[in-house]
Amino acid sequence: IKNYYKENKKIFNEYKEYNDRIVNKLNDQIENSKGNVYLFGAHIFSQHLLSIGLSEKNITSILDNDITKQSRRLYGTTLHVNSPKILRNEKSPTVILKAGAYNSEIKKDILENINSKTIFL
């Protein structure tokens, strides 16, 4: 059996570096954000970002369309979950959106039905 250790280690390290770059960029962007910053999704995508270094301190709350998740805390964090409708009265909210295949659907819904001035990271 061929030993794939070196190849797999290289792939793993590239994946880790990729995620580190994303988190560092997001932390810089939210640090310089003028309005409230939200993280979309009370799910594993958000927990992963937070566990690898996304800073909670500048995030107002988690947004999720699932009413069974709203008014609860995202496990492993200090952040509470709200409906995206809380963006309605904001001047220029920022939403971190890393929800995989659902990104375009979520973005479209927020821009068309809740707040057209929302900025997405």
Side-chain angles (χ1 to χ4, degrees):
I1 298 175
K2 185 177 178 185
N3 185 341
Y4 290 100
Y5 176 79
K6 286 182 183 178
E7 293 170 55
N8 289 335
K9 184 175 179 180
K10 181 179 183 280
I11 291 167
F12 173 80
N13 285 332
E14 288 170 354
Y15 175 73
K16 184 180 179 320
E17 289 169 9
Y18 167 77
N19 280 293
D20 288 344
R21 282 191 307 273
I22 287 174
V23 166
N24 289 333
K25 183 178 180 181
L26 287 171
N27 282 334
D28 288 343
Q29 290 173 313
I30 63 177
E31 187 75 31
N32 297 315
S33 179
K34 291 178 176 43
N36 288 330
V37 177
Y38 301 88
L39 177 57
F40 193 94
H43 48 57
I44 191 69
F45 300 127
S46 298
Q47 288 172 311
H48 174 70
L49 285 172
L50 292 162
S51 74
I52 63 171
L54 183 64
S55 177
E56 281 186 50
K57 71 178 181 174
N58 295 319
I59 297 175
T60 304
S61 72
I62 304 288
L63 302 177
D64 202 293
N65 290 318
D66 186 343
I67 59 171
T68 64
K69 295 179 181 181
Q70 294 168 7
S71 300
R72 296 176 180 235
R73 184 181 54 81
L74 179 64
Y75 185 80
T77 75
T78 61
L79 299 169
H80 287 83
V81 182
N82 291 294
S83 166
K85 292 176 184 173
I86 67 168
L87 301 175
R88 192 164 274 138
N89 297 321
E90 300 247 359
K91 288 183 182 179
S92 184
T94 299
V95 175
I96 299 168
L97 181 59
K98 300 289 182 210
Y102 304 103
N103 281 354
S104 59
E105 174 185 336
I106 293 165
K107 186 175 181 179
K108 180 180 179 186
D109 181 51
I110 290 172
L111 290 173
E112 291 180 2
N113 300 313
I114 299 172
N115 188 331
S116 63
K117 295 178 182 170
T118 303
I119 298 163
F120 290 89
L121 305 178

